[in-house]
Amino acid sequence: MRTVGRTALAIVSLLSAGLALTACTANDRPSTLTNTPSATAQQQADPTRASEADLPEPSGPPCEVAQYVVTGAPGEKPTITVPTGCTPQDGLLVEDITEGTGPEIKQGSTASLHYVLATFRDQRTREASWDDGQPFELTNIGQASVIQGWNEGLIGLKEGGRRLLVVPSDKGYPNGQGDIQPGETLIFVVDAVKVEG
């Protein structure tokens, strides 16, 4: 009888642990930036979309800056069209789409930023601060608790400006993060709403 009781207790413990593990899904995790708000507008799984593991590796020559198409007026949520038929470039790509006229982000600056994030391989928009209705507040830029691609790529962006950042995995998430695959290239469009310091 004692053995049966221990076996039943072990089964209950295993079931409880399994329920606890399944309760923590990718949607419960914080967004892809270390210190951003949670992504509240995660895309629902699309049964017609191939799983990310089934997607072919990008091939072709390195993408040109002009192949990253960003639409939408400054001050409004942009849309990113990820190029096809090319591979991500080496290194961090930084390109101003709209030149700002206000103060410039420097090492140690504080800024209010709106952003949209897409991933290269699956051409999927992952999150956008615009969906929460509030810009993302970032302090101590250059040493902030965000990916290195932001700490490097935001320097020089002026208030009122919009910038494209194409971040290689070594400056983003080389081992993956949440539902972002290891080695993924991240594509951001960032608007500097307010810059101080």
Side-chain angles (χ1 to χ4, degrees):
M1 190 67 163
R2 218 175 262 176
T3 305
V4 172
R6 286 184 188 155
T7 304
L9 183 59
I11 291 170
V12 169
S13 296
L14 287 172
L15 287 173
S16 296
L19 290 174
L21 287 174
T22 58
C24 184
T25 65
N27 287 340
D28 297 325
R29 296 182 187 123
S31 78
T32 58
L33 296 173
T34 307
N35 198 23
T36 62
S38 293
T40 56
Q42 292 286 337
Q43 293 186 353
Q44 298 298 319
D46 181 352
T48 62
R49 185 192 304 268
S51 75
E52 291 177 24
D54 296 335
L55 292 171
E57 288 295 324
S59 61
C63 300
E64 300 290 330
V65 175
Q67 290 177 275
Y68 295 91
V69 179
V70 178
T71 56
E76 297 176 3
K77 180 181 174 181
T79 300
I80 304 169
T81 302
V82 180
T84 58
C86 59
T87 55
Q89 77 297 334
D90 290 331
L92 177 66
L93 186 149
V94 178
E95 181 74 13
D96 283 334
I97 298 168
T98 303
E99 185 77 29
T101 57
E104 179 179 304
I105 295 176
K106 299 175 183 171
Q107 289 281 337
S109 291
T110 295
S112 296
L113 306 162
H114 264 310
Y115 69 91
V116 173
L117 164 63
T119 42
F120 189 93
R121 190 163 173 238
D122 60 4
Q123 303 178 334
R124 182 175 158 200
T125 299
R126 295 290 181 154
E127 63 182 64
S129 62
W130 300 89
D131 296 339
D132 295 332
Q134 294 292 325
F136 174 60
E137 303 296 326
L138 187 60
T139 60
N140 196 24
I141 297 172
Q143 300 295 319
S145 297
V146 292
I147 60 172
Q148 192 58 30
W150 267 40
N151 276 314
E152 294 177 20
L154 293 177
I155 302 297
L157 177 61
K158 294 180 180 178
E159 185 177 303
R162 173 171 283 181
R163 178 170 284 183
L164 171 70
L165 296 176
V166 183
V167 181
S169 66
D170 65 325
K171 294 184 185 293
Y173 295 103
N175 299 316
Q177 172 80 3
D179 61 350
I180 294 177
Q181 298 297 305
E184 181 62 85
T185 297
L186 309 175
I187 305 163
F188 290 94
V189 174
V190 183
D191 286 21
V193 178
K194 180 80 175 166
V195 177
E196 297 175 349

PDB file of all heavy atoms in Angstrom, residues 116-137:
ATOM      1  N   VAL A 116       8.896  49.091 -34.847  1.00  0.00           N
ATOM      2  CA  VAL A 116       8.289  47.882 -35.400  1.00  0.00           C
ATOM      3  C   VAL A 116       9.433  46.903 -35.612  1.00  0.00           C
ATOM      4  O   VAL A 116      10.521  47.289 -36.054  1.00  0.00           O
ATOM      5  CB  VAL A 116       7.560  48.161 -36.741  1.00  0.00           C
ATOM      6  CG1 VAL A 116       7.089  46.866 -37.381  1.00  0.00           C
ATOM      7  CG2 VAL A 116       6.387  49.101 -36.526  1.00  0.00           C
ATOM      8  N   LEU A 117       9.200  45.639 -35.278  1.00  0.00           N
ATOM      9  CA  LEU A 117      10.200  44.588 -35.448  1.00  0.00           C
ATOM     10  C   LEU A 117       9.671  43.513 -36.383  1.00  0.00           C
ATOM     11  O   LEU A 117       8.559  43.019 -36.207  1.00  0.00           O
ATOM     12  CB  LEU A 117      10.528  43.941 -34.090  1.00  0.00           C
ATOM     13  CG  LEU A 117      11.256  42.583 -34.130  1.00  0.00           C
ATOM     14  CD1 LEU A 117      12.636  42.704 -34.764  1.00  0.00           C
ATOM     15  CD2 LEU A 117      11.359  41.996 -32.729  1.00  0.00           C
ATOM     16  N   ALA A 118      10.486  43.171 -37.390  1.00  0.00           N
ATOM     17  CA  ALA A 118      10.191  42.033 -38.273  1.00  0.00           C
ATOM     18  C   ALA A 118      11.409  41.112 -38.275  1.00  0.00           C
ATOM     19  O   ALA A 118      12.520  41.538 -37.979  1.00  0.00           O
ATOM     20  CB  ALA A 118       9.885  42.511 -39.690  1.00  0.00           C
ATOM     21  N   THR A 119      11.186  39.846 -38.610  1.00  0.00           N
ATOM     22  CA  THR A 119      12.279  38.896 -38.730  1.00  0.00           C
ATOM     23  C   THR A 119      12.485  38.551 -40.203  1.00  0.00           C
ATOM     24  O   THR A 119      11.526  38.443 -40.968  1.00  0.00           O
ATOM     25  CB  THR A 119      12.009  37.631 -37.894  1.00  0.00           C
ATOM     26  OG1 THR A 119      10.643  37.244 -38.034  1.00  0.00           O
ATOM     27  CG2 THR A 119      12.298  37.882 -36.428  1.00  0.00           C
ATOM     28  N   PHE A 120      13.755  38.407 -40.583  1.00  0.00           N
ATOM     29  CA  PHE A 120      14.121  38.260 -41.991  1.00  0.00           C
ATOM     30  C   PHE A 120      13.638  36.946 -42.585  1.00  0.00           C
ATOM     31  O   PHE A 120      13.013  36.920 -43.638  1.00  0.00           O
ATOM     32  CB  PHE A 120      15.642  38.376 -42.156  1.00  0.00           C
ATOM     33  CG  PHE A 120      16.084  38.460 -43.587  1.00  0.00           C
ATOM     34  CD1 PHE A 120      16.263  39.685 -44.185  1.00  0.00           C
ATOM     35  CD2 PHE A 120      16.313  37.316 -44.344  1.00  0.00           C
ATOM     36  CE1 PHE A 120      16.664  39.772 -45.513  1.00  0.00           C
ATOM     37  CE2 PHE A 120      16.712  37.389 -45.660  1.00  0.00           C
ATOM     38  CZ  PHE A 120      16.884  38.625 -46.249  1.00  0.00           C
ATOM     39  N   ARG A 121      13.956  35.847 -41.908  1.00  0.00           N
ATOM     40  CA  ARG A 121      13.754  34.522 -42.505  1.00  0.00           C
ATOM     41  C   ARG A 121      12.300  34.234 -42.848  1.00  0.00           C
ATOM     42  O   ARG A 121      11.983  33.704 -43.902  1.00  0.00           O
ATOM     43  CB  ARG A 121      14.300  33.456 -41.560  1.00  0.00           C
ATOM     44  CG  ARG A 121      14.370  32.081 -42.164  1.00  0.00           C
ATOM     45  CD  ARG A 121      15.283  31.193 -41.341  1.00  0.00           C
ATOM     46  NE  ARG A 121      15.204  29.846 -41.846  1.00  0.00           N
ATOM     47  CZ  ARG A 121      14.847  28.803 -41.118  1.00  0.00           C
ATOM     48  NH1 ARG A 121      14.538  28.951 -39.859  1.00  0.00           N
ATOM     49  NH2 ARG A 121      14.825  27.607 -41.652  1.00  0.00           N
ATOM     50  N   ASP A 122      11.384  34.590 -41.936  1.00  0.00           N
ATOM     51  CA  ASP A 122       9.968  34.302 -42.179  1.00  0.00           C
ATOM     52  C   ASP A 122       9.180  35.529 -42.625  1.00  0.00           C
ATOM     53  O   ASP A 122       7.973  35.456 -42.807  1.00  0.00           O
ATOM     54  CB  ASP A 122       9.321  33.671 -40.942  1.00  0.00           C
ATOM     55  CG  ASP A 122       9.380  34.576 -39.722  1.00  0.00           C
ATOM     56  OD1 ASP A 122       9.844  35.727 -39.838  1.00  0.00           O
ATOM     57  OD2 ASP A 122       8.961  34.133 -38.643  1.00  0.00           O
ATOM     58  N   GLN A 123       9.869  36.675 -42.762  1.00  0.00           N
ATOM     59  CA  GLN A 123       9.244  37.919 -43.250  1.00  0.00           C
ATOM     60  C   GLN A 123       8.025  38.299 -42.414  1.00  0.00           C
ATOM     61  O   GLN A 123       7.034  38.806 -42.921  1.00  0.00           O
ATOM     62  CB  GLN A 123       8.866  37.798 -44.717  1.00  0.00           C
ATOM     63  CG  GLN A 123      10.029  37.448 -45.599  1.00  0.00           C
ATOM     64  CD  GLN A 123       9.632  37.288 -47.038  1.00  0.00           C
ATOM     65  OE1 GLN A 123       8.490  36.964 -47.354  1.00  0.00           O
ATOM     66  NE2 GLN A 123      10.563  37.539 -47.931  1.00  0.00           N
ATOM     67  N   ARG A 124       8.141  38.082 -41.118  1.00  0.00           N
ATOM     68  CA  ARG A 124       7.001  38.253 -40.222  1.00  0.00           C
ATOM     69  C   ARG A 124       7.197  39.455 -39.303  1.00  0.00           C
ATOM     70  O   ARG A 124       8.265  39.608 -38.712  1.00  0.00           O
ATOM     71  CB  ARG A 124       6.845  36.979 -39.398  1.00  0.00           C
ATOM     72  CG  ARG A 124       5.690  36.966 -38.461  1.00  0.00           C
ATOM     73  CD  ARG A 124       5.595  35.591 -37.819  1.00  0.00           C
ATOM     74  NE  ARG A 124       4.869  35.680 -36.567  1.00  0.00           N
ATOM     75  CZ  ARG A 124       4.922  34.797 -35.600  1.00  0.00           C
ATOM     76  NH1 ARG A 124       5.701  33.741 -35.741  1.00  0.00           N
ATOM     77  NH2 ARG A 124       4.226  34.950 -34.509  1.00  0.00           N
ATOM     78  N   THR A 125       6.180  40.289 -39.171  1.00  0.00           N
ATOM     79  CA  THR A 125       6.207  41.364 -38.195  1.00  0.00           C
ATOM     80  C   THR A 125       5.932  40.754 -36.830  1.00  0.00           C
ATOM     81  O   THR A 125       4.917  40.087 -36.632  1.00  0.00           O
ATOM     82  CB  THR A 125       5.164  42.440 -38.519  1.00  0.00           C
ATOM     83  OG1 THR A 125       5.472  42.999 -39.799  1.00  0.00           O
ATOM     84  CG2 THR A 125       5.168  43.545 -37.468  1.00  0.00           C
ATOM     85  N   ARG A 126       6.851  40.976 -35.897  1.00  0.00           N
ATOM     86  CA  ARG A 126       6.780  40.333 -34.586  1.00  0.00           C
ATOM     87  C   ARG A 126       6.085  41.194 -33.539  1.00  0.00           C
ATOM     88  O   ARG A 126       5.344  40.691 -32.718  1.00  0.00           O
ATOM     89  CB  ARG A 126       8.185  39.991 -34.086  1.00  0.00           C
ATOM     90  CG  ARG A 126       8.893  38.954 -34.932  1.00  0.00           C
ATOM     91  CD  ARG A 126       8.252  37.616 -34.742  1.00  0.00           C
ATOM     92  NE  ARG A 126       8.928  36.599 -35.529  1.00  0.00           N
ATOM     93  CZ  ARG A 126       8.930  35.320 -35.213  1.00  0.00           C
ATOM     94  NH1 ARG A 126       8.315  34.906 -34.142  1.00  0.00           N
ATOM     95  NH2 ARG A 126       9.526  34.458 -35.993  1.00  0.00           N
ATOM     96  N   GLU A 127       6.393  42.470 -33.513  1.00  0.00           N
ATOM     97  CA  GLU A 127       5.798  43.350 -32.510  1.00  0.00           C
ATOM     98  C   GLU A 127       5.980  44.803 -32.920  1.00  0.00           C
ATOM     99  O   GLU A 127       6.785  45.116 -33.790  1.00  0.00           O
ATOM    100  CB  GLU A 127       6.391  43.110 -31.126  1.00  0.00           C
ATOM    101  CG  GLU A 127       7.865  43.406 -31.033  1.00  0.00           C
ATOM    102  CD  GLU A 127       8.415  43.096 -29.653  1.00  0.00           C
ATOM    103  OE1 GLU A 127       8.413  41.930 -29.246  1.00  0.00           O
ATOM    104  OE2 GLU A 127       8.861  44.045 -28.991  1.00  0.00           O
ATOM    105  N   ALA A 128       5.199  45.656 -32.272  1.00  0.00           N
ATOM    106  CA  ALA A 128       5.277  47.088 -32.544  1.00  0.00           C
ATOM    107  C   ALA A 128       4.807  47.851 -31.314  1.00  0.00           C
ATOM    108  O   ALA A 128       3.749  47.542 -30.759  1.00  0.00           O
ATOM    109  CB  ALA A 128       4.405  47.454 -33.744  1.00  0.00           C
ATOM    110  N   SER A 129       5.592  48.824 -30.887  1.00  0.00           N
ATOM    111  CA  SER A 129       5.192  49.662 -29.755  1.00  0.00           C
ATOM    112  C   SER A 129       3.917  50.433 -30.084  1.00  0.00           C
ATOM    113  O   SER A 129       3.139  50.766 -29.198  1.00  0.00           O
ATOM    114  CB  SER A 129       6.312  50.631 -29.393  1.00  0.00           C
ATOM    115  OG  SER A 129       6.575  51.509 -30.480  1.00  0.00           O
ATOM    116  N   TRP A 130       3.698  50.693 -31.358  1.00  0.00           N
ATOM    117  CA  TRP A 130       2.505  51.423 -31.805  1.00  0.00           C
ATOM    118  C   TRP A 130       1.234  50.708 -31.353  1.00  0.00           C
ATOM    119  O   TRP A 130       0.220  51.360 -31.075  1.00  0.00           O
ATOM    120  CB  TRP A 130       2.489  51.540 -33.331  1.00  0.00           C
ATOM    121  CG  TRP A 130       3.662  52.261 -33.899  1.00  0.00           C
ATOM    122  CD1 TRP A 130       4.856  51.713 -34.269  1.00  0.00           C
ATOM    123  CD2 TRP A 130       3.775  53.663 -34.163  1.00  0.00           C
ATOM    124  NE1 TRP A 130       5.687  52.684 -34.759  1.00  0.00           N
ATOM    125  CE2 TRP A 130       5.048  53.880 -34.712  1.00  0.00           C
ATOM    126  CE3 TRP A 130       2.899  54.741 -34.010  1.00  0.00           C
ATOM    127  CZ2 TRP A 130       5.487  55.144 -35.089  1.00  0.00           C
ATOM    128  CZ3 TRP A 130       3.335  55.992 -34.395  1.00  0.00           C
ATOM    129  CH2 TRP A 130       4.618  56.185 -34.919  1.00  0.00           C
ATOM    130  N   ASP A 131       1.284  49.380 -31.285  1.00  0.00           N
ATOM    131  CA  ASP A 131       0.098  48.613 -30.912  1.00  0.00           C
ATOM    132  C   ASP A 131      -0.307  48.841 -29.459  1.00  0.00           C
ATOM    133  O   ASP A 131      -1.467  48.684 -29.097  1.00  0.00           O
ATOM    134  CB  ASP A 131       0.327  47.118 -31.151  1.00  0.00           C
ATOM    135  CG  ASP A 131       0.544  46.804 -32.628  1.00  0.00           C
ATOM    136  OD1 ASP A 131       0.129  47.618 -33.479  1.00  0.00           O
ATOM    137  OD2 ASP A 131       1.140  45.755 -32.923  1.00  0.00           O
ATOM    138  N   ASP A 132       0.668  49.210 -28.611  1.00  0.00           N
ATOM    139  CA  ASP A 132       0.370  49.513 -27.212  1.00  0.00           C
ATOM    140  C   ASP A 132      -0.048  50.965 -27.027  1.00  0.00           C
ATOM    141  O   ASP A 132      -0.486  51.351 -25.949  1.00  0.00           O
ATOM    142  CB  ASP A 132       1.600  49.240 -26.331  1.00  0.00           C
ATOM    143  CG  ASP A 132       1.971  47.768 -26.304  1.00  0.00           C
ATOM    144  OD1 ASP A 132       1.072  46.929 -26.478  1.00  0.00           O
ATOM    145  OD2 ASP A 132       3.156  47.458 -26.121  1.00  0.00           O
ATOM    146  N   GLY A 133       0.144  51.781 -28.072  1.00  0.00           N
ATOM    147  CA  GLY A 133      -0.243  53.188 -27.992  1.00  0.00           C
ATOM    148  C   GLY A 133       0.740  54.071 -27.258  1.00  0.00           C
ATOM    149  O   GLY A 133       0.501  55.264 -27.094  1.00  0.00           O
ATOM    150  N   GLN A 134       1.849  53.506 -26.796  1.00  0.00           N
ATOM    151  CA  GLN A 134       2.841  54.276 -26.042  1.00  0.00           C
ATOM    152  C   GLN A 134       4.231  54.004 -26.594  1.00  0.00           C
ATOM    153  O   GLN A 134       4.576  52.852 -26.866  1.00  0.00           O
ATOM    154  CB  GLN A 134       2.824  53.875 -24.562  1.00  0.00           C
ATOM    155  CG  GLN A 134       1.555  54.222 -23.824  1.00  0.00           C
ATOM    156  CD  GLN A 134       1.371  55.715 -23.664  1.00  0.00           C
ATOM    157  OE1 GLN A 134       2.337  56.456 -23.498  1.00  0.00           O
ATOM    158  NE2 GLN A 134       0.132  56.173 -23.743  1.00  0.00           N
ATOM    159  N   PRO A 135       5.055  55.056 -26.742  1.00  0.00           N
ATOM    160  CA  PRO A 135       6.445  54.800 -27.138  1.00  0.00           C
ATOM    161  C   PRO A 135       7.202  54.085 -26.022  1.00  0.00           C
ATOM    162  O   PRO A 135       6.802  54.115 -24.862  1.00  0.00           O
ATOM    163  CB  PRO A 135       7.016  56.200 -27.397  1.00  0.00           C
ATOM    164  CG  PRO A 135       6.093  57.155 -26.747  1.00  0.00           C
ATOM    165  CD  PRO A 135       4.770  56.484 -26.591  1.00  0.00           C
ATOM    166  N   PHE A 136       8.272  53.446 -26.403  1.00  0.00           N
ATOM    167  CA  PHE A 136       9.145  52.731 -25.485  1.00  0.00           C
ATOM    168  C   PHE A 136      10.168  53.707 -24.927  1.00  0.00           C
ATOM    169  O   PHE A 136      10.828  54.429 -25.672  1.00  0.00           O
ATOM    170  CB  PHE A 136       9.835  51.589 -26.240  1.00  0.00           C
ATOM    171  CG  PHE A 136      10.873  50.857 -25.440  1.00  0.00           C
ATOM    172  CD1 PHE A 136      10.533  50.216 -24.273  1.00  0.00           C
ATOM    173  CD2 PHE A 136      12.186  50.797 -25.877  1.00  0.00           C
ATOM    174  CE1 PHE A 136      11.489  49.524 -23.534  1.00  0.00           C
ATOM    175  CE2 PHE A 136      13.142  50.102 -25.160  1.00  0.00           C
ATOM    176  CZ  PHE A 136      12.795  49.467 -23.983  1.00  0.00           C
ATOM    177  N   GLU A 137      10.300  53.753 -23.599  1.00  0.00           N
ATOM    178  CA  GLU A 137      11.244  54.662 -22.942  1.00  0.00           C
ATOM    179  C   GLU A 137      12.568  53.932 -22.728  1.00  0.00           C
ATOM    180  O   GLU A 137      12.592  52.853 -22.127  1.00  0.00           O
ATOM    181  CB  GLU A 137      10.676  55.126 -21.602  1.00  0.00           C
ATOM    182  CG  GLU A 137       9.313  55.798 -21.693  1.00  0.00           C
ATOM    183  CD  GLU A 137       9.335  57.097 -22.485  1.00  0.00           C
ATOM    184  OE1 GLU A 137      10.363  57.815 -22.429  1.00  0.00           O
ATOM    185  OE2 GLU A 137       8.339  57.384 -23.172  1.00  0.00           O
TER     186      GLU A 137
END
